[in-house]
Amino acid sequence: DGGITQSPKYLFRKEGQNVTLSCEQNLNHDAMYWYRQDPGQGLRLIYYSQIVNDFQKGDIAEGYSVSREKKESFPLTVTSAQKNPTAFYLCASSQTASGANVLTFGAGSRLTVL
Amino acid sequence: GENVEQHPSTLSVQEGDSAVIKCTYSDSASNYFPWYKQELGKRPQLIIDIRSNVGEKKDQRIAVTLNKTAKHFSLHITETQPEDSAVYFCAASLAGGTYKYIFGTGTRLKVLA
């Protein structure tokens, strides 16, 4: 099951702690994305990156940070500033940042704040 | 802002019947409309997509139709099977070389045996 690998699959965090979710892809895709999935709210874009060393805020970037030091990797840090971080997080990639290209998703990471 | 409305939120059908899920988008510049299927605990997977220069596309039991004038697009599943049970998401992408996909809120389809 290659393509995009997310880790960990499940993560528990105490309030006030930062956590980092890993996303690695071996598809040679230029663009990578982080989405948050909550029940009844579909997929909401947190951050995206079109090329290495560049990234842009999505619709719900507050309380999150990312980096794109390598083409293959796009880690997401959920900071203590995120008020309601319990959610399912999906990483995705596409060949280019054009809207006409297919998103390929990872298997997701479920974060629970205790 | 741009949004995609998806209906219904839940849908139960008898095995062998058809299922239809509808989406409406707000930005007339959108030109690409994918549908994703997400089984319980798994990643969303693309099942079919359509571009704005086409009105209908079929792939075996699945079809998608697009009405650009009304800004509607729909997913049709015929001869439903229990393995079709999942959450289905529609999306619309904005034209002009931008990244953005706007997703609908999802439809949970249950196929009753």
Side-chain angles (χ1 to χ4, degrees):
Chain A
D1 191 21
I4 299 181
T5 302
Q6 288 186 239
S7 63
K9 188 171 183 179
Y10 298 97
L11 186 61
F12 297 89
R13 185 192 99 175
K14 294 181 180 179
E15 285 192 20
Q17 288 182 334
N18 292 354
V19 294
T20 297
L21 309 180
S22 170
C23 178
E24 303 277 333
Q25 54 102 356
N26 61 6
L27 301 168
N28 200 33
H29 283 175
D30 295 311
M32 298 187 73
Y33 313 78
W34 274 104
Y35 288 90
R36 171 176 170 146
Q37 187 174 24
D38 295 284
Q41 295 194 49
L43 301 172
R44 293 183 291 168
L45 183 65
I46 305 171
Y47 268 98
Y48 71 103
S49 169
Q50 300 180 41
I51 57 171
V52 175
N53 292 322
D54 185 56
F55 49 83
Q56 306 295 329
K57 291 182 178 180
D59 300 315
I60 55 165
E62 184 176 354
Y64 301 97
S65 65
V66 293
S67 62
R68 187 84 186 278
E69 297 177 1
K70 299 186 300 182
K71 187 176 185 178
E72 303 80 16
S73 180
F74 192 42
L76 173 74
T77 297
V78 184
T79 75
S80 56
Q82 169 50 235
K83 300 302 181 188
N84 184 22
T86 294
F88 189 56
Y89 292 88
L90 284 162
C91 180
S93 70
S94 66
Q95 183 59 39
T96 72
S98 164
N101 286 286
V102 175
L103 284 177
T104 301
F105 285 93
S109 294
R110 186 168 298 280
L111 172 63
T112 302
V113 173
L114 303 173
Chain B
E2 301 90 359
N3 74 304
V4 173
E5 294 187 1
Q6 183 172 347
H7 299 282
S9 57
T10 60
L11 178 59
S12 294
V13 299
Q14 291 292 328
E15 183 177 359
D17 287 350
S18 295
V20 180
I21 303 170
K22 299 180 179 180
C23 289
T24 303
Y25 60 98
S26 61
D27 190 337
S28 56
S30 297
N31 64 354
Y32 175 64
F33 307 92
W35 285 90
Y36 286 85
K37 175 183 180 182
Q38 187 177 27
E39 297 179 28
L40 189 62
K42 296 189 177 181
R43 72 191 74 196
Q45 301 237 355
L46 179 73
I47 55 170
I48 196 167
D49 57 12
I50 193 167
R51 298 176 193 272
S52 59
N53 59 347
V54 176
E56 182 175 3
K57 184 177 179 180
K58 290 187 73 173
D59 182 3
Q60 300 182 339
R61 296 186 297 106
I62 294 173
V64 57
T65 58
L66 172 65
N67 182 330
K68 288 170 54 180
T69 302
K71 293 190 281 187
H72 290 169
F73 58 111
S74 299
L75 177 70
H76 305 254
I77 306 174
T78 59
E79 301 173 21
T80 54
Q81 302 168 3
E83 52 265 37
D84 294 329
S85 295
V87 177
Y88 292 81
F89 290 98
C90 63
S93 73
L94 303 182
T98 60
Y99 69 93
K100 206 166 183 178
Y101 291 75
I102 307 296
F103 283 87
T105 51
T107 296
R108 183 173 298 279
L109 174 64
K110 297 180 183 178
V111 179
L112 307 172

